[in-house]
Amino acid sequence: MDNDSSIAQIAAILREEAARLGPGARLPSSREIMRRHNVSPVTVSRAIGQLAAEGRVVTKPGSGAFVARHQRPVTGREAADLSWQTVALGDRVVDEGPVAALLAGAPDGAVPLTGGYLHPGLRPDRHLAAAAARAVRRPGAWDKPPLTGLSELRRWFAGQTGGDVTAADVLIVSGGQAALTHAFRALAAPGTPVLVETPTYPGALAAAKAAGLRATAVPMDVDGVRPELLAEAFAVTGARVFLCQPTLHNPTGATLPLDRRRQVLQVARAAGAFVIEDDYAHYLTEQPPPTLASMDEHGTVVHVRSLTKILSPSVRVAAVIARGPAAHRLRAGQLVESFFVARPLQETALELVGSAAWRRHLAAVHAEIRLRRDALAAALATHLPAGAELHLLPAGGMHLWLRLPADLDEGALVEAARRNGVLVSPGRMYYPSEPPGPRLRLTHIAAAHLAELTEGVRRLGRAFAEIG
């Protein structure tokens, strides 16, 4: 039962175990604690959270909970008892773990084969600084912007999306993650299902869960989501929203062919459903295919496009493109939740994408992606055992998706990799339900250079040998 007494009991047991194990030691996994004491995941999570609040343990997403090396000093007074909040907050949980893991920085000396942003050496920081300097000198740069975004910026996003999309269809929001959150809340009622590709982006799964939606998996192959199974999923679940990444899908790298794009639109149209098109990788390939939004004639597609991946984590500027009542609800949702995106940031983005530096930056990143993708694939072929296979070699993007031998312990491999100084993303976090087997997502764009990529794969190879 998830109540104060059971949480307190588990917390007390873990305090004793932490004292016995000593600083830096890893506590038993949540699954092991649940098995030993016959308690729920919520009870375990809250007990560990209580110890973390006391400064006794440190949680590391994807790795577990560890006894803190430096305990909080005793102040002479008893710590405040905040356990009452567990009753007031109820059982709803916002699971930030997968997103926190993706955003976490690499420790000194570790090679990051994780993450979703350009290495600082690849970012156009100098050009961004120049664009920002020009932007803040614009008349009215610090005024309240139009609530849907600067008209020039909306017009630019519309032109980039293609088809008959106009500036009136575009809403500027604070980054792609915010765009997904707005879309989920606007298009689906809490408690209803939402269809997602499997595997899929963990941040989308977290946003859907936070919106009270039930993510239901739709299988993929090397060409992306399978339209016949999408139709079946709509029929079985009654869902009215499907989230997809048709270009350079995260994590598999699959890109939907043109005929499948048409089929997906037809299936969604027949189901009376929306398609959220997360076009996060549009600028991470030299020749992106036509967007679903450019092919949409019925207001089926809600298109999401961000500048964050191609520029910088702090350029939180994205567009949500929609028509009809859905567009009105999206705009109303943003207005109620956050008013608008800061005008200086919008002005900076507009300055940069309108300059020659934008085109040069795109060309440089595309060339670097080709080099890094091929170097990572070659290193994997050289240093990993034969049972580890690439899903496919994508035509761009930041990631490679690796299938592991069926009998391999994915969690043990991720932990062994960490001990050997390389960070990788466990495949389990990309699945809304049980994964079909062990997987890893490997990122090539966060490392400093090609030599570091190769070194990271060597360390991963040592981790394989340790647990093999």
Side-chain angles (χ1 to χ4, degrees):
M1 178 179 293
D2 296 320
N3 55 37
D4 285 351
S5 61
S6 57
I7 293 167
Q9 288 172 1
I10 298 302
I13 291 168
L14 294 179
R15 280 192 201 94
E16 292 179 2
E17 187 139 10
R20 178 178 59 79
L21 291 171
R26 186 176 186 273
L27 290 179
S29 68
S30 295
R31 184 174 297 179
E32 176 62 17
I33 297 169
M34 290 160 52
R35 186 192 66 78
R36 285 185 193 174
H37 304 289
N38 193 28
V39 291
S40 76
V42 173
T43 296
V44 175
S45 175
R46 290 179 176 171
I48 292 175
Q50 189 168 320
L51 267 64
E54 295 170 4
R56 297 177 186 272
V57 303
V58 175
T59 58
K60 298 179 181 179
S63 299
F66 298 80
V67 182
R69 294 187 182 277
H70 303 287
Q71 302 286 332
R72 283 182 186 165
V74 177
T75 61
R77 66 178 184 181
E78 196 171 316
D81 181 6
L82 305 179
S83 60
W84 67 270
Q85 293 186 359
T86 62
V87 177
L89 290 171
D91 287 338
R92 187 173 65 88
V93 175
V94 177
D95 182 10
E96 84 288 0
V99 178
L102 293 174
L103 295 176
D108 290 344
V111 177
L113 297 184
T114 56
Y117 298 117
L118 300 178
H119 183 272
L122 302 176
R123 296 195 313 238
D125 288 358
R126 182 169 59 86
H127 298 302
L128 278 169
R134 296 193 302 271
V136 295
R137 291 197 297 269
R138 286 186 170 201
W142 296 97
D143 289 347
K144 175 175 66 65
L147 298 181
T148 55
L150 297 178
S151 59
E152 301 97 325
L153 187 57
R154 289 188 286 119
R155 191 175 304 114
W156 181 83
F157 271 116
Q160 292 284 300
T161 305
D164 61 357
V165 174
T166 70
D169 303 324
V170 179
L171 172 68
I172 303 300
V173 299
S174 183
Q177 186 69 21
L180 293 176
T181 299
H182 286 311
F184 283 137
R185 290 178 178 173
L187 303 178
T192 60
V194 59
L195 304 184
V196 299
E197 298 153 317
T198 185
T200 194
Y201 166 52
L205 294 176
K209 184 176 181 181
L213 306 178
R214 304 192 311 272
T216 301
V218 183
M220 304 174 61
D221 59 22
V222 292
D223 286 328
V225 69
R226 295 172 56 184
E228 76 280 8
L229 297 181
L230 177 62
E232 182 179 345
F234 274 129
V236 169
T237 65
R240 290 294 180 264
V241 177
F242 169 51
L243 168 71
C244 69
Q245 294 178 325
T247 300
L248 296 171
H249 171 265
N250 177 15
T252 68
T255 293
L256 273 180
L258 197 59
D259 61 335
R260 280 207 189 180
R261 291 175 183 247
R262 295 192 184 99
Q263 291 175 53
V264 165
L265 290 177
Q266 291 167 359
V267 167
R269 173 70 174 159
F274 291 101
V275 175
I276 302 174
E277 179 185 21
D278 181 8
D279 199 17
Y280 85 99
H282 186 89
Y283 299 113
L284 301 177
T285 183
E286 293 179 81
Q287 295 184 320
T291 63
L292 295 178
S294 70
M295 304 164 65
D296 175 31
E297 299 177 354
H298 304 287
T300 299
V301 177
V302 173
H303 180 86
V304 173
R305 171 85 57 91
S306 173
L307 292 175
T308 305
K309 297 293 187 188
I310 190 62
L311 291 178
S312 164
S314 287
V315 181
R316 310 302 302 171
V317 175
V320 180
I321 295 169
R323 291 182 285 173
H328 174 78
R329 187 176 290 184
L330 282 159
R331 290 166 186 158
Q334 155 134 319
L335 184 61
V336 169
E337 292 177 21
S338 57
F339 291 0
F340 48 77
V341 176
R343 183 163 189 154
L345 190 55
Q346 293 190 58
E347 298 277 13
T348 297
L350 186 59
E351 282 281 349
L352 183 61
V353 299
S355 70
W358 166 250
R359 293 182 292 277
R360 291 195 299 270
H361 174 62
L362 287 180
V365 171
H366 293 158
E368 190 70 21
I369 283 173
R370 289 195 303 273
L371 286 173
R372 287 167 174 258
R373 176 202 63 192
D374 294 345
L376 180 56
L380 292 171
T382 300
H383 297 289
L384 294 195
E389 298 179 350
L390 283 182
H391 179 70
L392 57 84
L393 193 67
M398 298 179 168
H399 317 295
L400 297 182
W401 186 236
L402 193 64
R403 290 195 297 264
L404 305 176
D407 59 349
L408 187 140
D409 185 330
E410 178 187 294
L413 177 61
V414 172
E415 178 62 21
R418 186 190 63 81
R419 290 196 303 268
N420 279 276
V422 59
L423 305 182
V424 295
S425 296
R428 180 177 299 276
M429 66 193 294
Y430 295 86
Y431 288 91
S433 55
E434 285 300 312
R439 303 284 190 273
L440 291 181
R441 192 197 73 169
L442 304 178
T443 302
H444 57 66
I445 210 68
H449 40 65
L450 298 183
E452 186 173 63
L453 270 181
T454 302
E455 174 59 22
V457 177
R458 285 197 191 98
R459 296 179 184 185
L460 182 58
R462 292 201 296 269
F464 268 97
E466 274 187 17
I467 68 169

